[in-house]
Amino acid sequence: MRDLMHWFFSVLPQIVESGGIICGLCFTAFALRADARSRQADILMRITEGHRQLWLYFEEHRELARVLDPKANLQKKPVTAHEQRFVQLLINHLIITHQTSQLRIYEHPDRLGDDIRRFFSMPIPLAVWEKTAPMLDADFVAFVEGHRRAGTAK
């Protein structure tokens, strides 16, 4: 028993040191996980804010109403620079959400495919898409095209 006590007290500093290291690593892991969640929440808020700003801009500029007109006649009146810029901003917003989704930071809404299909079924967004798609990342283009061609808009 005396030998056991002697051994125990001789290795006690190593046990305490190892326990401290393990506790420190666990604390660091929990802190990193909390930080990652905080960053995910921040990114989600930024994406939501960007979405809100785009549509507030749309509401404030009535000349953009034609962007969502399914009967817009591009032969009579071609896409204006303002309309093109707005649609490109929407495409850029979609690129950001797609990239954050690929990084598993953001999860696309369930009905995003329906939104993509409906939006790009309209003449102005489709015309801008066809003009800009060749300059975009192939993976993103495949993502949009997959949703766009999945069926008709509801």
Coordinates of all heavy atoms in Angstrom, one line a residue, residues 3-72:
D3 N 3.9 1.5 -1.2 CA 4.5 1.7 -2.6 C 3.5 2.3 -3.5 O 3.8 3.1 -4.4 CB 4.9 0.3 -3.1 CG 6.1 -0.2 -2.4 OD1 6.9 0.6 -1.8 OD2 6.3 -1.5 -2.4
L4 N 2.2 1.9 -3.4 CA 1.2 2.4 -4.2 C 1.0 3.9 -4.0 O 0.9 4.7 -4.9 CB -0.1 1.7 -4.0 CG -1.3 2.1 -4.8 CD1 -1.1 1.9 -6.3 CD2 -2.6 1.4 -4.4
M5 N 1.0 4.3 -2.7 CA 0.9 5.7 -2.4 C 2.1 6.5 -2.9 O 1.9 7.6 -3.4 CB 0.8 5.9 -0.8 CG -0.5 5.3 -0.3 SD -1.9 6.3 -0.7 CE -1.8 7.6 0.5
H6 N 3.2 6.0 -2.7 CA 4.5 6.6 -3.2 C 4.4 6.8 -4.7 O 4.7 7.9 -5.2 CB 5.7 5.8 -2.8 CG 7.0 6.4 -3.3 ND1 7.4 7.6 -2.9 CD2 7.9 5.9 -4.2 CE1 8.6 7.9 -3.5 NE2 8.9 6.8 -4.3
W7 N 4.0 5.8 -5.4 CA 3.9 5.8 -6.9 C 2.8 6.9 -7.3 O 3.0 7.7 -8.2 CB 3.5 4.5 -7.5 CG 3.2 4.6 -8.9 CD1 4.0 4.5 -10.0 CD2 1.9 4.7 -9.5 NE1 3.4 4.7 -11.2 CE2 2.0 4.8 -10.9 CE3 0.6 4.8 -9.0 CZ2 1.0 4.9 -11.8 CZ3 -0.5 4.9 -9.9 CH2 -0.3 5.0 -11.3
F8 N 1.7 6.9 -6.6 CA 0.6 7.8 -6.9 C 1.1 9.3 -6.8 O 0.9 10.1 -7.6 CB -0.6 7.5 -6.0 CG -1.7 8.5 -6.2 CD1 -2.5 8.4 -7.4 CD2 -2.0 9.5 -5.3 CE1 -3.5 9.4 -7.6 CE2 -3.0 10.5 -5.5 CZ -3.8 10.4 -6.7
F9 N 1.7 9.6 -5.7 CA 2.2 10.9 -5.4 C 3.3 11.3 -6.4 O 3.5 12.5 -6.7 CB 2.5 11.2 -4.0 CG 1.3 11.3 -3.1 CD1 1.0 10.3 -2.2 CD2 0.5 12.4 -3.3 CE1 -0.2 10.4 -1.4 CE2 -0.7 12.5 -2.5 CZ -1.0 11.5 -1.6
S10 N 4.1 10.3 -6.9 CA 5.2 10.7 -7.8 C 4.6 11.0 -9.2 O 5.3 11.7 -9.9 CB 6.2 9.5 -7.8 OG 5.6 8.4 -8.4
V11 N 3.5 10.4 -9.6 CA 3.0 10.6 -10.9 C 1.8 11.7 -10.9 O 1.3 12.1 -11.9 CB 2.4 9.3 -11.6 CG1 3.6 8.4 -11.8 CG2 1.3 8.7 -10.8
L12 N 1.4 12.1 -9.7 CA 0.3 13.1 -9.6 C 0.6 14.4 -10.4 O -0.3 14.8 -11.1 CB 0.1 13.4 -8.1 CG -1.1 14.3 -7.8 CD1 -2.4 13.7 -8.3 CD2 -1.2 14.7 -6.4
P13 N 1.8 14.9 -10.4 CA 2.0 16.1 -11.2 C 1.7 15.9 -12.7 O 1.2 16.7 -13.4 CB 3.4 16.5 -10.9 CG 3.8 15.9 -9.6 CD 2.9 14.7 -9.5
Q14 N 2.1 14.7 -13.2 CA 1.9 14.3 -14.6 C 0.4 14.2 -14.9 O -0.1 14.6 -15.9 CB 2.6 13.1 -14.9 CG 4.1 13.2 -14.9 CD 4.8 11.9 -15.1 OE1 4.3 10.8 -14.8 NE2 6.1 11.9 -15.5
I15 N -0.3 13.6 -13.9 CA -1.8 13.4 -14.1 C -2.5 14.8 -14.1 O -3.3 15.0 -15.0 CB -2.3 12.5 -13.0 CG1 -1.8 11.1 -13.1 CG2 -3.9 12.5 -13.0 CD1 -2.2 10.2 -11.9
V16 N -2.1 15.6 -13.2 CA -2.7 17.0 -13.2 C -2.3 17.7 -14.5 O -3.2 18.4 -15.1 CB -2.2 17.8 -11.9 CG1 -2.6 19.2 -12.0 CG2 -2.8 17.1 -10.7
E17 N -1.1 17.6 -14.9 CA -0.7 18.3 -16.1 C -1.4 17.8 -17.3 O -2.0 18.6 -18.2 CB 0.8 18.1 -16.4 CG 1.4 18.8 -17.6 CD 2.9 18.6 -17.8 OE1 3.5 18.2 -16.8 OE2 3.3 18.7 -18.9
S18 N -1.6 16.5 -17.5 CA -2.3 15.9 -18.6 C -3.8 16.3 -18.5 O -4.4 16.6 -19.5 CB -2.2 14.3 -18.5 OG -0.8 14.0 -18.7
G19 N -4.3 16.3 -17.3 CA -5.7 16.7 -17.1 C -6.0 18.1 -17.6 O -7.0 18.4 -18.2
G20 N -5.0 19.0 -17.2 CA -5.1 20.4 -17.6 C -5.0 20.5 -19.1 O -5.8 21.3 -19.7
I21 N -4.2 19.8 -19.7 CA -4.0 19.8 -21.2 C -5.3 19.4 -21.9 O -5.9 20.0 -22.8 CB -2.8 19.0 -21.7 CG1 -1.5 19.7 -21.3 CG2 -2.9 18.8 -23.2 CD1 -0.3 18.9 -21.5
I22 N -5.9 18.3 -21.4 CA -7.1 17.7 -21.9 C -8.3 18.7 -21.7 O -9.0 19.0 -22.7 CB -7.4 16.4 -21.3 CG1 -6.4 15.3 -21.8 CG2 -8.9 15.9 -21.7 CD1 -6.5 14.0 -21.1
C23 N -8.4 19.3 -20.5 CA -9.4 20.3 -20.3 C -9.3 21.5 -21.2 O -10.2 22.0 -21.7 CB -9.4 20.7 -18.8 SG -10.1 19.4 -17.7
G24 N -8.0 21.9 -21.4 CA -7.7 23.1 -22.3 C -8.1 22.8 -23.7 O -8.7 23.6 -24.4
L25 N -7.8 21.6 -24.2 CA -8.2 21.2 -25.5 C -9.8 21.1 -25.7 O -10.3 21.6 -26.7 CB -7.6 19.9 -25.9 CG -6.1 19.9 -26.2 CD1 -5.6 18.5 -26.3 CD2 -5.8 20.8 -27.3
C26 N -10.4 20.6 -24.7 CA -11.9 20.5 -24.7 C -12.5 21.9 -24.7 O -13.4 22.2 -25.5 CB -12.4 19.7 -23.5 SG -12.1 18.0 -23.6
F27 N -12.0 22.8 -23.9 CA -12.5 24.2 -23.8 C -12.3 24.9 -25.2 O -13.1 25.6 -25.7 CB -11.7 25.0 -22.7 CG -12.1 26.4 -22.7 CD1 -13.4 26.8 -22.1 CD2 -11.3 27.4 -23.2 CE1 -13.8 28.1 -22.1 CE2 -11.7 28.7 -23.2 CZ -12.9 29.1 -22.6
T28 N -11.1 24.7 -25.8 CA -10.8 25.2 -27.1 C -11.8 24.7 -28.2 O -12.3 25.5 -29.0 CB -9.3 24.9 -27.5 OG1 -8.5 25.5 -26.5 CG2 -9.0 25.5 -28.9
A29 N -12.0 23.4 -28.1 CA -13.0 22.8 -29.1 C -14.4 23.4 -28.9 O -15.0 23.8 -29.9 CB -13.0 21.3 -28.9
F30 N -14.8 23.6 -27.7 CA -16.2 24.2 -27.5 C -16.2 25.6 -27.9 O -17.2 26.1 -28.5 CB -16.6 24.1 -26.0 CG -16.9 22.7 -25.6 CD1 -16.4 22.1 -24.4 CD2 -17.9 21.9 -26.3 CE1 -16.7 20.8 -24.0 CE2 -18.2 20.6 -25.9 CZ -17.6 20.1 -24.7
A31 N -15.1 26.3 -27.7 CA -15.0 27.8 -28.1 C -15.0 27.9 -29.6 O -15.7 28.8 -30.1 CB -13.8 28.4 -27.5
L32 N -14.3 27.0 -30.3 CA -14.3 27.0 -31.7 C -15.6 26.7 -32.3 O -16.1 27.3 -33.3 CB -13.2 26.1 -32.3 CG -11.8 26.5 -32.1 CD1 -10.8 25.4 -32.5 CD2 -11.5 27.7 -32.9
R33 N -16.3 25.7 -31.7 CA -17.6 25.4 -32.2 C -18.6 26.5 -32.0 O -19.4 26.9 -32.9 CB -18.1 24.1 -31.5 CG -19.4 23.6 -32.0 CD -19.8 22.3 -31.4 NE -21.0 21.9 -32.0 CZ -21.7 20.8 -31.7 NH1 -21.1 20.0 -30.8 NH2 -22.8 20.5 -32.3
A34 N -18.6 27.2 -30.8 CA -19.4 28.3 -30.6 C -19.1 29.5 -31.6 O -20.0 30.2 -32.1 CB -19.3 28.8 -29.1
D35 N -17.8 29.7 -31.8 CA -17.4 30.7 -32.8 C -17.9 30.4 -34.2 O -18.4 31.3 -34.9 CB -15.9 30.9 -32.8 CG -15.4 32.0 -33.6 OD1 -15.9 33.1 -33.5 OD2 -14.6 31.7 -34.5
A36 N -17.8 29.2 -34.6 CA -18.3 28.8 -35.9 C -19.8 29.0 -36.0 O -20.3 29.5 -37.0 CB -18.0 27.3 -36.2
R37 N -20.6 28.7 -35.0 CA -22.0 28.9 -35.0 C -22.3 30.4 -35.1 O -23.2 30.8 -35.8 CB -22.7 28.3 -33.8 CG -22.8 26.8 -33.9 CD -23.6 26.3 -32.8 NE -23.8 24.8 -32.9 CZ -24.4 24.1 -32.0 NH1 -24.9 24.6 -30.9 NH2 -24.5 22.8 -32.2
S38 N -21.5 31.2 -34.3 CA -21.7 32.6 -34.4 C -21.5 33.2 -35.8 O -22.2 34.0 -36.3 CB -20.8 33.3 -33.3 OG -20.9 34.7 -33.4
R39 N -20.4 32.7 -36.4 CA -20.1 33.2 -37.8 C -21.2 32.7 -38.7 O -21.5 33.5 -39.7 CB -18.7 32.7 -38.2 CG -17.6 33.5 -37.6 CD -16.2 33.1 -38.2 NE -15.8 32.0 -37.4 CZ -15.3 30.9 -37.9 NH1 -15.1 30.7 -39.2 NH2 -14.9 29.9 -37.1
Q40 N -21.7 31.5 -38.6 CA -22.8 31.1 -39.5 C -24.0 32.0 -39.3 O -24.7 32.3 -40.3 CB -23.2 29.6 -39.2 CG -22.2 28.6 -39.7 CD -22.5 27.2 -39.3 OE1 -23.1 26.9 -38.3 NE2 -22.2 26.3 -40.2
A41 N -24.3 32.3 -38.1 CA -25.5 33.2 -37.8 C -25.2 34.6 -38.4 O -26.1 35.2 -39.0 CB -25.8 33.3 -36.3
D42 N -24.0 35.1 -38.3 CA -23.7 36.4 -38.9 C -23.8 36.3 -40.4 O -24.4 37.2 -41.0 CB -22.2 36.7 -38.5 CG -21.8 38.1 -39.1 OD1 -22.6 39.1 -38.8 OD2 -20.8 38.2 -39.7
I43 N -23.3 35.3 -41.0 CA -23.4 35.1 -42.5 C -24.9 35.0 -42.9 O -25.3 35.7 -43.9 CB -22.6 33.9 -43.0 CG1 -21.1 34.2 -42.9 CG2 -23.0 33.5 -44.4 CD1 -20.2 33.1 -43.1
L44 N -25.7 34.3 -42.2 CA -27.1 34.2 -42.5 C -27.8 35.6 -42.4 O -28.6 35.9 -43.3 CB -27.8 33.2 -41.6 CG -29.3 33.0 -41.8 CD1 -29.6 32.5 -43.2 CD2 -29.8 32.0 -40.8
M45 N -27.4 36.3 -41.4 CA -28.0 37.7 -41.3 C -27.5 38.6 -42.4 O -28.3 39.4 -43.0 CB -27.6 38.3 -39.9 CG -28.4 37.7 -38.8 SD -28.2 38.5 -37.2 CE -26.5 38.2 -36.9
R46 N -26.3 38.4 -42.8 CA -25.8 39.3 -44.0 C -26.5 38.9 -45.3 O -26.8 39.7 -46.1 CB -24.3 39.1 -44.1 CG -23.5 39.8 -43.0 CD -22.0 39.5 -43.1 NE -21.3 40.0 -42.0 CZ -20.4 41.0 -42.1 NH1 -20.1 41.5 -43.2 NH2 -19.8 41.4 -41.0
I47 N -26.7 37.6 -45.5 CA -27.4 37.1 -46.7 C -28.8 37.7 -46.7 O -29.3 38.2 -47.7 CB -27.3 35.6 -46.8 CG1 -25.9 35.2 -47.2 CG2 -28.3 35.1 -47.8 CD1 -25.7 33.7 -47.2
T48 N -29.4 37.6 -45.6 CA -30.8 38.0 -45.4 C -30.9 39.6 -45.7 O -31.8 40.1 -46.4 CB -31.4 37.7 -44.1 OG1 -31.3 36.3 -43.9 CG2 -32.8 38.1 -43.9
E49 N -29.9 40.3 -45.1 CA -29.9 41.7 -45.3 C -29.6 42.1 -46.8 O -30.3 43.0 -47.3 CB -28.8 42.3 -44.4 CG -28.6 43.8 -44.6 CD -29.8 44.7 -44.2 OE1 -30.7 44.2 -43.4 OE2 -29.9 45.8 -44.6
G50 N -28.7 41.4 -47.4 CA -28.5 41.6 -48.8 C -29.7 41.4 -49.7 O -30.1 42.2 -50.6
H51 N -30.5 40.3 -49.3 CA -31.7 40.0 -50.0 C -32.7 41.1 -49.8 O -33.4 41.6 -50.8 CB -32.2 38.6 -49.5 CG -33.5 38.2 -50.2 ND1 -34.7 38.4 -49.7 CD2 -33.6 37.4 -51.3 CE1 -35.6 37.9 -50.5 NE2 -35.0 37.3 -51.5
R52 N -32.9 41.5 -48.6 CA -33.8 42.6 -48.3 C -33.4 43.9 -49.0 O -34.3 44.5 -49.6 CB -33.8 42.8 -46.8 CG -34.9 43.8 -46.3 CD -34.9 43.9 -44.8 NE -33.8 44.8 -44.3 CZ -33.8 46.1 -44.3 NH1 -34.9 46.7 -44.8 NH2 -32.8 46.8 -43.9
Q53 N -32.2 44.2 -49.0 CA -31.7 45.5 -49.7 C -32.0 45.4 -51.2 O -32.5 46.4 -51.8 CB -30.2 45.7 -49.5 CG -29.9 46.1 -48.0 CD -30.5 47.5 -47.7 OE1 -30.6 48.3 -48.5 NE2 -30.8 47.6 -46.4
L54 N -31.8 44.3 -51.8 CA -32.1 44.2 -53.2 C -33.5 44.4 -53.5 O -33.9 45.1 -54.5 CB -31.6 42.8 -53.8 CG -30.2 42.6 -53.9 CD1 -29.8 41.1 -54.1 CD2 -29.6 43.4 -55.1
W55 N -34.4 43.8 -52.8 CA -35.8 43.9 -53.0 C -36.4 45.2 -52.6 O -37.4 45.7 -53.2 CB -36.6 42.7 -52.5 CG -36.3 41.5 -53.3 CD1 -35.5 40.5 -52.9 CD2 -36.6 41.3 -54.7 NE1 -35.3 39.6 -54.0 CE2 -36.0 40.0 -55.1 CE3 -37.3 42.0 -55.6 CZ2 -36.1 39.5 -56.3 CZ3 -37.4 41.4 -56.9 CH2 -36.8 40.2 -57.2
L56 N -35.8 45.9 -51.6 CA -36.2 47.3 -51.3 C -35.8 48.2 -52.4 O -36.6 49.1 -52.8 CB -35.5 47.7 -50.0 CG -36.2 47.2 -48.7 CD1 -35.3 47.6 -47.5 CD2 -37.6 47.7 -48.5
Y57 N -34.6 48.0 -53.0 CA -34.2 48.8 -54.1 C -35.2 48.6 -55.3 O -35.6 49.6 -55.9 CB -32.8 48.3 -54.5 CG -32.2 49.1 -55.7 CD1 -31.6 50.4 -55.4 CD2 -32.3 48.7 -57.0 CE1 -31.1 51.1 -56.5 CE2 -31.8 49.4 -58.0 CZ -31.2 50.6 -57.8 OH -30.7 51.4 -58.8
F58 N -35.6 47.4 -55.5 CA -36.6 47.1 -56.6 C -37.9 47.8 -56.3 O -38.4 48.4 -57.3 CB -36.8 45.5 -56.6 CG -37.9 45.1 -57.6 CD1 -37.6 45.0 -58.9 CD2 -39.2 44.9 -57.1 CE1 -38.6 44.6 -59.8 CE2 -40.2 44.5 -58.0 CZ -39.9 44.4 -59.4
E59 N -38.3 47.8 -55.1 CA -39.6 48.5 -54.8 C -39.5 50.0 -54.9 O -40.4 50.7 -55.3 CB -40.0 48.2 -53.3 CG -40.5 46.8 -53.1 CD -41.8 46.5 -53.9 OE1 -42.7 47.3 -54.0 OE2 -41.9 45.3 -54.4
E60 N -38.3 50.6 -54.6 CA -38.1 52.0 -54.7 C -37.9 52.5 -56.2 O -38.1 53.7 -56.4 CB -36.9 52.4 -53.9 CG -37.1 52.2 -52.4 CD -35.8 52.4 -51.6 OE1 -34.7 52.6 -52.3 OE2 -35.8 52.3 -50.4
H61 N -37.6 51.6 -57.1 CA -37.3 52.0 -58.5 C -38.4 51.3 -59.3 O -38.1 50.2 -59.9 CB -35.9 51.6 -58.9 CG -34.9 52.4 -58.2 ND1 -34.4 52.0 -56.9 CD2 -34.3 53.5 -58.5 CE1 -33.5 52.9 -56.5 NE2 -33.4 53.9 -57.5
R62 N -39.5 51.9 -59.5 CA -40.6 51.3 -60.2 C -40.3 51.0 -61.7 O -40.9 50.2 -62.3 CB -41.8 52.3 -60.2 CG -42.4 52.5 -58.8 CD -42.6 51.3 -57.9 NE -43.5 50.3 -58.6 CZ -43.5 49.0 -58.3 NH1 -42.8 48.6 -57.3 NH2 -44.3 48.2 -58.9
E63 N -39.2 51.7 -62.2 CA -38.9 51.4 -63.6 C -38.3 49.9 -63.8 O -38.1 49.5 -64.9 CB -37.8 52.4 -64.1 CG -36.5 52.4 -63.4 CD -36.4 53.2 -62.2 OE1 -37.4 53.6 -61.6 OE2 -35.3 53.5 -61.7
L64 N -38.1 49.3 -62.6 CA -37.6 47.9 -62.7 C -38.7 46.9 -62.7 O -38.5 45.7 -62.8 CB -36.6 47.6 -61.5 CG -35.3 48.4 -61.5 CD1 -34.6 48.1 -60.1 CD2 -34.5 47.9 -62.6
A65 N -39.9 47.4 -62.6 CA -41.1 46.4 -62.5 C -41.1 45.5 -63.7 O -41.6 44.3 -63.6 CB -42.4 47.2 -62.4
R66 N -40.6 45.9 -64.8 CA -40.7 45.1 -66.1 C -39.8 43.9 -65.9 O -40.0 42.9 -66.6 CB -40.2 46.0 -67.2 CG -40.5 45.5 -68.6 CD -40.2 46.5 -69.6 NE -38.8 46.6 -69.9 CZ -38.2 46.1 -71.0 NH1 -39.0 45.6 -72.0 NH2 -36.9 46.1 -71.2
V67 N -38.8 43.9 -65.0 CA -37.9 42.7 -64.8 C -38.8 41.5 -64.4 O -38.5 40.4 -64.9 CB -36.9 43.0 -63.6 CG1 -36.2 41.8 -63.2 CG2 -35.9 44.0 -64.1
L68 N -39.8 41.7 -63.7 CA -40.7 40.6 -63.3 C -41.9 40.4 -64.1 O -42.9 39.7 -63.7 CB -41.1 40.7 -61.8 CG -39.9 40.7 -60.8 CD1 -40.4 40.9 -59.4 CD2 -39.1 39.5 -61.0
D69 N -42.0 41.1 -65.2 CA -43.1 41.0 -66.2 C -42.9 39.8 -67.1 O -42.0 39.8 -67.9 CB -43.3 42.3 -67.0 CG -44.4 42.3 -67.9 OD1 -45.2 41.2 -67.9 OD2 -44.6 43.3 -68.6
P70 N -43.8 38.8 -66.9 CA -43.6 37.6 -67.8 C -43.9 37.8 -69.3 O -43.6 37.0 -70.1 CB -44.5 36.5 -67.2 CG -45.5 37.3 -66.4 CD -44.8 38.6 -66.0
K71 N -44.5 39.0 -69.5 CA -44.9 39.3 -70.9 C -44.0 40.5 -71.5 O -44.4 41.0 -72.5 CB -46.4 39.7 -71.0 CG -47.3 38.6 -70.6 CD -48.7 39.0 -70.6 CE -49.6 37.8 -70.2 NZ -50.9 38.2 -69.9
A72 N -42.9 40.8 -70.9 CA -42.0 41.8 -71.4 C -41.6 41.5 -72.8 O -41.1 40.4 -73.0 CB -40.8 42.0 -70.4

